[in-house]
Amino acid sequence: MNATHQLRHECRLCGASDVEKVFSLAASPPANELLVAAEDASKQQKFPLDLYFCNQCAHLQLFDIISPERLFSNYVYVSGTAPSFRKHFAQYAEKIIADYNVEPGSLIVDIGSNDGTLLSAFKDFGMRVQGVDPAKEIAADANERGIDTIVDFFNVDVAQQIKSAKGLVKVVVANNVFAHIDDLEGILSGIDMLLAADGILVIEVSYLKDVIEKTLFDTIYHEHLDYHSVGPLQSFFLSHQFDIIDVTSIESHGGSIRVVAQKNTGPYAQQQSVAAFIAEEESIGLFSADTFRSFEHKINQLGKELKALIESIKKEGKTIAGYGLPAKAATLMHQFDIGPDAIDYIVDDSPLKQGLYSPGYGIEISKSERLKTDTPDYIIVLAWNFEKPIIENLGWFIEQGGTIVVPLPKLKVVRKHD
């Protein structure tokens, strides 16, 4: 253990010590810790990726915690890069406003607001907005674009700061951050302080059901401490005087859920969706440790297929480029040891990543224009959750005889005749 790495021993949701390790993935560096020089890869620290199941509340989680300052202060993931996410957030804002009668001028707070894409959508509907995000450069950019953003980790002190300056909040949103936080109890205390009596909390998280059913193991990395399902989440909320009132499936990140909660004295009736999700989770085994013990076999089978394909391509002397370097790519590449021997270079549309090198392997990250000047024989789509728009953008590559490989959810090869 060191200053940046600690080990937990109790369940993050219920505090129980009756936990067991159910499977492990290959140790890897922090997924977004990109390198300035390729030679730095050999010196980069790797940390365990061990998954623990709580026998008390059925929550799946990591116990190895890397300090949030190391993970998030110089963050390189930007929400607004993908047009599909901008559209998703615009529809998200519109739906929340309609479903919960959010009046113009109401205060919306976004925990982990990133570049302010979601808050911009709320602002367009006439809402007052407040972001909170520790990523210095990204938050500075949001502030420059008129999205008021506190550069910090959300906690009770930040909640008090917002309440004193701007009053109570109608809607708190937290997208893909409830999986990132070790002290969820402290976060909920801050939210409780901020929310008006009729306020709501809306979170979006990757859904454990999709992770298991689609073998989306690469969504497991050090930033994601928790792998959420509705049953354990509802128990957690109830124990802190909150209540889940609605759950919706959404397509983000290969399969996520949008969870709406309120204080247990709130005005909204609980929708049937909550009980339905919990019943289905129980029926497919998400509350059983055995389900996760067998998950490792599915991962290994997928790895054999992918590695066999890559080996056959390289034996023919063909070149492979990677498309996109999302955080999940670090897990995929380290689990199956897909390094510079396999991938010649990677392209990514985020300027924050271009000119840097991939964690652990030191593969160069370039602008997508490189694909036209240094055209590979194959492109492997590491950002597989954007498979459709990426393949559409690569129509020219397929037309001239290039081949695209999509590794997940199922291994897929796309050629011209497809």
Side-chain angles (χ1 to χ4, degrees):
M1 298 302 124
N2 56 43
T4 62
H5 178 213
Q6 296 179 332
L7 189 64
R8 217 190 146 85
H9 300 284
E10 301 84 26
C11 174
R12 195 170 283 107
L13 291 190
C14 74
S17 54
D18 182 13
V19 292
E20 57 178 303
K21 184 160 68 173
V22 283
F23 70 94
S24 299
L25 297 175
S28 64
N32 278 311
E33 199 168 88
L34 306 185
L35 304 169
V36 174
E39 54 268 26
D40 293 341
S42 60
K43 299 173 279 188
Q44 201 170 13
Q45 251 181 314
K46 294 182 180 179
F47 300 96
L49 270 179
D50 299 329
L51 277 293
Y52 292 83
F53 179 80
C54 175
N55 289 307
Q56 190 73 33
C57 77
H59 182 50
L60 189 71
Q61 59 208 294
L62 298 183
F63 276 1
D64 286 272
I65 302 160
I66 300 173
S67 77
E69 287 76 18
R70 177 168 178 171
L71 292 180
F72 300 114
S73 294
N74 297 297
Y75 209 39
V76 291
Y77 171 78
V78 181
S79 320
T81 303
S84 59
F85 261 104
R86 293 197 295 272
K87 182 181 176 184
H88 169 70
F89 282 145
Q91 293 171 340
Y92 177 152
E94 187 173 17
K95 181 165 177 56
I96 293 302
I97 288 166
D99 287 357
Y100 296 96
N101 303 312
V102 184
E103 299 287 340
S106 297
L107 180 58
I108 316 293
V109 169
D110 189 352
I111 299 170
S113 52
N114 198 263
D115 64 354
T117 300
L118 176 56
L119 288 181
S120 292
F122 275 108
K123 193 174 181 180
D124 288 344
F125 284 105
M127 305 299 157
R128 295 183 297 134
V129 299
Q130 177 66 63
V132 183
D133 201 289
K136 299 181 187 78
E137 284 186 39
I138 296 172
D141 176 59
N143 275 312
E144 281 177 22
R145 289 184 294 102
I147 303 299
D148 190 4
T149 305
I150 296 169
V151 187
D152 205 343
F153 292 95
F154 182 83
N155 53 35
V156 171
D157 291 340
V158 170
Q160 185 60 60
Q161 181 184 335
I162 295 169
K163 184 178 176 182
S164 299
K166 298 189 175 180
L168 291 173
V169 179
K170 173 65 179 180
V171 181
V172 173
V173 290
N175 298 295
N176 303 304
V177 294
F178 244 64
H180 292 166
I181 298 162
D182 185 41
D183 181 18
L184 284 173
E185 195 170 325
I187 296 299
L188 207 52
S189 296
I191 293 167
D192 184 36
M193 178 188 294
L194 270 182
L195 270 186
D198 64 345
I200 56 164
L201 164 65
V202 189
I203 67 171
E204 285 190 359
V205 286
S206 179
Y207 191 27
L208 182 58
K209 172 179 179 282
D210 291 295
V211 173
I212 297 301
E213 290 186 343
K214 301 175 187 174
T215 322
L216 306 183
F217 73 93
D218 64 341
T219 60
I220 298 169
Y221 47 89
H222 299 103
E223 288 170 21
H224 289 170
L225 295 168
D226 298 287
Y227 300 88
H228 287 297
S229 49
V230 180
L233 260 181
Q234 173 70 323
S235 299
F236 170 71
F237 277 123
L238 288 172
S239 69
H240 293 85
Q241 289 71 56
F242 272 74
D243 196 11
I244 294 176
I245 52 175
D246 197 14
V247 186
T248 314
S249 291
I250 53 175
E251 293 181 0
S252 303
H253 303 290
S256 299
I257 46 173
R258 180 180 297 158
V259 176
V260 183
Q262 65 180 358
K263 296 181 182 184
N264 60 9
T265 53
Y268 302 104
Q270 186 179 79
Q271 301 300 304
Q272 292 179 343
S273 60
V274 181
F277 269 82
I278 293 171
E280 184 182 21
E281 289 167 2
E282 187 164 21
S283 72
I284 62 173
L286 291 190
F287 303 157
S288 166
D290 290 341
T291 299
F292 305 105
R293 291 194 197 97
S294 61
F295 189 49
E296 202 161 9
H297 173 72
K298 290 172 70 178
I299 296 168
N300 292 339
Q301 188 56 42
L302 195 149
K304 284 178 189 172
E305 294 173 23
L306 181 59
K307 282 185 74 72
L309 175 62
I310 289 172
E311 283 168 13
S312 70
I313 292 168
K314 299 310 280 189
K315 274 181 185 172
E316 292 174 9
K318 305 288 188 183
T319 54
I320 304 175
Y323 200 110
L325 192 72
K328 59 172 71 76
T331 299
L332 177 80
M333 293 167 75
H334 283 84
Q335 181 67 19
F336 300 146
D337 193 21
I338 301 170
D341 292 344
I343 296 178
D344 298 273
Y345 65 90
I346 296 167
V347 300
D348 196 283
D349 294 327
S350 171
L352 292 177
K353 299 179 185 181
Q354 293 159 6
L356 299 175
Y357 296 82
S358 69
Y361 285 115
I363 301 170
E364 187 178 5
I365 307 163
S366 302
K367 296 179 179 180
S368 57
E369 286 80 1
R370 181 172 176 181
L371 295 171
K372 294 191 174 181
T373 57
D374 184 10
T375 308
D377 300 298
Y378 288 75
I379 294 174
I380 182 167
V381 180
L382 298 171
W384 52 259
N385 51 314
F386 295 119
E387 170 195 343
K388 190 175 177 183
I390 287 172
I391 290 177
E392 285 173 1
N393 288 340
L394 292 173
W396 64 270
F397 173 74
I398 297 171
E399 196 58 35
Q400 67 180 40
T403 304
I404 294 176
V405 177
V406 184
L408 289 169
K410 287 184 178 175
L411 184 60
K412 184 195 298 186
V413 177
V414 182
R415 298 185 177 90
K416 186 173 180 180
H417 60 267
D418 299 323

